[in-house]
Amino acid sequence: MLSLMEEILLLALKEEEGTLFLTATAGINNCLGGAILMELELHNRIKADKKTVQVIDRTPTRNTRLDTALKLIDSHSSLRPPEYWIPKLLKDLKPLRQALLKEMTEKALVREDEHQVLIFFTQNHYPLRDIRAKKDILDRLHKVLLRGELPNPRTEKLIGLVSACSLIYSLFDKEDRKEALKRAKELTAKDILTQAIKKASQE
């Protein structure tokens, strides 16, 4: 099973070009930081409200990245709100996006292509190798946002990330966007971490 971080990054990448959708460029890093908090919440390790993120279980998750984040939150001298932790985790776990892309390359989800930029610079692109993996994620989203199925907790969190990254505009056909946006808003309006990601991006 892919992590929320891997799923949202896979969705944010153009399949053939291997670059980020324009709609996702501004918010993807905050979405990755927020996805860490969401994973910890799904593992029942933290509890978040508008003003605090509290560790409720210190048991390791057996995921190095999540366990590092859990220790950082637990060792802090005071309780802080979710929008504090999103950029904090991005800084302390830097380079998060590059590390994830490397792991996704090793899993054969994407491939790493080097592109020449101007004369002296190169840039890595990450075209998808496993198109089916992304299609399966999109099918889950379509069932909930367009067909009215009830999401499980993990899919509901993913919808929050998609919403926070403005990816609905890139992933859904024009005629479906209005319905998908409305449904996503209904599902995530009360989700503390989704709103925190949006707030962190605005700030």
Side-chain angles (χ1 to χ4, degrees):
M1 183 174 67
L2 299 181
S3 69
L4 286 174
M5 290 173 282
E6 291 170 323
E7 287 188 325
I8 192 61
L9 192 48
L10 200 60
L11 290 174
L13 288 170
K14 297 178 183 177
E15 294 179 8
E16 296 183 3
E17 293 93 331
T19 55
L20 293 173
F21 284 113
L22 185 61
T23 53
T25 52
I28 187 62
N29 287 335
N30 283 321
C31 280
L32 293 175
I36 294 174
L37 295 179
M38 288 180 169
E39 288 280 9
L40 289 172
E41 191 175 64
L42 288 170
H43 281 80
N44 296 311
R45 297 302 194 273
I46 64 169
K47 180 180 179 182
D49 58 38
K50 290 182 179 180
K51 295 183 178 180
T52 64
V53 174
Q54 300 182 55
V55 174
I56 57 175
D57 185 351
R58 296 179 178 85
T59 306
T61 65
R62 290 190 280 187
N63 177 294
T64 303
R65 189 173 288 117
L66 294 183
D67 291 342
T68 299
L70 187 64
K71 289 178 182 178
L72 286 169
I73 297 169
D74 193 39
S75 63
H76 202 276
S77 57
S78 60
L79 296 174
R80 306 304 291 264
E83 59 268 21
Y84 167 86
W85 283 111
I86 292 168
K88 173 69 172 170
L89 292 176
L90 286 171
K91 180 181 178 181
D92 289 359
L93 296 176
K94 189 178 180 180
L96 179 58
R97 194 202 310 180
Q98 287 74 16
L100 285 166
L101 286 168
K102 182 179 179 181
E103 292 168 13
M104 290 165 66
T105 302
E106 292 169 353
K107 292 180 179 180
L109 292 168
V110 299
R111 72 173 188 271
E112 185 178 47
D113 288 348
E114 192 175 88
H115 288 253
Q116 189 78 29
V117 180
L118 301 177
I119 299 175
F120 302 106
F121 302 98
T122 59
Q123 186 180 67
N124 290 332
H125 293 183
Y126 294 89
L128 272 59
R129 292 184 64 182
D130 188 351
I131 302 297
R132 183 67 200 180
K134 184 170 182 175
K135 186 179 183 302
D136 288 344
I137 300 169
L138 286 170
D139 284 346
R140 282 164 49 207
L141 296 178
H142 278 240
K143 286 176 182 177
V144 174
L145 297 180
L146 299 180
R147 301 177 206 165
E149 290 191 13
L150 291 175
N152 61 34
R154 177 167 289 273
T155 300
E156 189 168 327
K157 291 296 184 186
L158 179 62
I159 290 169
L161 293 170
V162 169
S163 177
C165 271
S166 300
L167 273 170
I168 287 175
Y169 295 96
S170 300
L171 298 175
F172 287 78
D173 294 334
K174 187 175 181 180
E175 61 270 21
D176 293 328
R177 286 175 197 156
K178 185 175 180 180
E179 183 179 352
L181 285 165
K182 180 182 177 182
R183 179 74 169 140
K185 185 177 181 179
E186 291 171 352
L187 289 169
T188 63
K190 295 182 179 180
D191 186 79
I192 297 295
L193 295 180
T194 297
Q195 303 311 314
I197 296 168
K198 291 181 179 180
K199 187 174 181 179
S201 296
Q202 290 169 357
E203 292 177 350

